[in-house]
Amino acid sequence: MRYGVVILPEHRWPQAREVWRRAEDLGFDHAWTYDHVAWRWLRERPWFGALPTLTAAALVTSRMGLGTLVASARLRDPVVFAKEMMTLDDISGGRALCGVGAGGPDRDVLRTGRQTRLQQSVRYAEFVALLDALLRQDPVDFDGAYYECHDTVLQPASVQRPRVPLCVAATGPRGMRLAARYADMWVTTGAPGVFDATPYADSVRLIKEQTAALERACDEAGRNPSTVRRLLVTGPSIGGVLESAESFRDAAGLFEEVGVTDFVVHWPRPDFPYQGRSEVMEDIADALPR
């Protein structure tokens, strides 16, 4: 099991810097931040850009992976985003993690207009396919419904080869097929679109079903399911994990039994959402690899 933490990009850098440093000191394998223009309940509060934040974090850490959780196909241009991820990979010395998602209908500034679920799915598939090729430094000729580029090669190559790892968020059948084809890591938050946290034990069955669906999609794609890591983000719909060090260890163990390989929590905040005690992060440090 590997362990990760989501740090919201809500603080000015002198304060945020200490949280990112502390996350690495505690032993987290990877740290992530949300990629939005503004976010849900914190829309009236300070909110900083994901890629500049991760770049700054790369300069004050040396070991843990750094990623977007997740970049939205509704907001990001795949060519520009691939270039930014390559740059983050270079600055971090090969620690970038490219987390991507389809994006919901009510997020941020909707530059793409209203889309049906099928249209969102097609756009997301094109977005991921282009990222995969561009990050591999392949010459790309692409003429899709939403994206077009010709003889495009990004220089330089990613530090990580064959490319920066793709972390694909998916829950439905189309998304699972996309993850099976392209993902180094599959990402789930449990129940899709749900932000009412329930006790973590109540979600074990759902995560087991989702991991089984991923494995079926891998089998259909002719891919060994063990080559895809499975990242679970707790907090949005899976609650109680950070009540204590004991609950953290218990939850991690339960989800590891049903196939989760990467277990992610949110850095506690003083108020809603993800309210909790920052001291608990010190308490769980013994469960983290050093």
Side-chain angles (χ1 to χ4, degrees):
M1 179 75 83
R2 296 178 188 171
Y3 299 94
V5 60
V6 179
I7 301 169
L8 300 190
E10 58 180 328
H11 300 299
R12 295 191 182 278
W13 186 242
Q15 180 179 354
R17 174 179 57 211
E18 301 310 312
V19 180
W20 289 88
R21 282 175 170 167
R22 190 60 187 144
E24 180 165 86
D25 290 344
L26 288 173
F28 283 103
D29 295 289
H30 33 66
W32 311 77
T33 200
Y34 287 177
D35 185 29
H36 296 288
V37 175
W39 185 70
R40 289 183 177 271
W41 305 282
L42 304 181
R43 300 185 75 87
E44 304 302 320
R45 298 192 186 183
W47 190 268
F48 295 93
L51 268 297
T53 295
L54 292 170
T55 301
L59 298 178
V60 298
T61 60
S62 61
R63 176 188 54 79
M64 64 184 181
L66 302 168
T68 51
L69 201 68
V70 288
S72 169
R74 294 179 67 86
L75 291 175
R76 290 286 185 179
D77 176 275
V79 177
V80 176
F81 183 56
K83 171 64 74 173
E84 291 177 339
M85 290 304 304
M86 282 179 165
T87 303
L88 175 62
D89 202 44
D90 180 76
I91 292 171
S92 66
R95 294 184 287 133
L97 297 166
C98 185
V100 294
D106 60 343
R107 310 294 193 271
D108 300 307
V109 180
L110 302 184
R111 298 184 302 165
T112 56
R114 296 185 181 275
Q115 296 177 347
T116 65
R117 288 195 175 187
L118 178 58
Q119 288 172 324
Q120 291 178 35
S121 178
V122 171
R123 186 185 186 95
Y124 186 32
E126 290 187 6
F127 183 79
V128 173
L130 261 176
L131 278 177
D132 175 66
L134 290 164
L135 290 171
R136 290 178 187 275
Q137 212 183 20
D138 293 340
V140 178
D141 284 286
F142 194 90
D143 188 8
Y146 294 95
Y147 304 110
E148 179 181 349
C149 57
H150 299 286
D151 197 27
T152 302
V153 181
L154 300 184
Q155 299 284 359
S158 304
V159 174
Q160 300 175 85
R161 302 302 289 162
R163 55 155 167 69
V164 172
L166 275 179
C167 312
V168 178
T171 54
R174 293 189 186 93
M176 290 296 193
R177 288 194 292 269
L178 196 64
R181 181 173 180 182
Y182 293 107
D184 299 283
M185 185 183 293
W186 162 67
V187 178
T188 181
T189 59
V194 174
F195 281 84
D196 295 324
T198 60
Y200 60 80
D202 294 352
S203 297
V204 173
R205 180 177 178 180
L206 172 63
I207 300 305
K208 183 177 181 179
E209 292 171 350
Q210 290 182 347
T211 56
L214 174 69
E215 291 172 358
R216 288 193 299 272
C218 286
D219 289 338
E220 292 170 1
R223 181 176 181 183
N224 184 343
S226 67
T227 63
V228 185
R229 298 192 66 83
R230 299 96 186 269
L231 184 146
L232 173 62
V233 185
T234 64
S237 67
I238 299 173
V241 174
L242 290 182
E243 290 295 324
S244 65
E246 290 73 23
S247 63
F248 175 84
R249 285 192 289 267
D250 182 55
L254 288 174
F255 289 113
E256 185 174 25
E257 289 178 1
V258 297
V260 171
T261 64
D262 293 75
F263 190 66
V264 175
V265 297
H266 286 73
W267 194 273
R269 303 180 64 258
D271 52 22
F272 177 85
Y274 313 128
Q275 184 174 12
R277 300 179 299 108
S278 60
E279 295 80 10
V280 77
M281 305 304 276
E282 308 290 333
D283 297 338
I284 69 174
D286 289 340
L288 302 178
R290 291 285 182 176

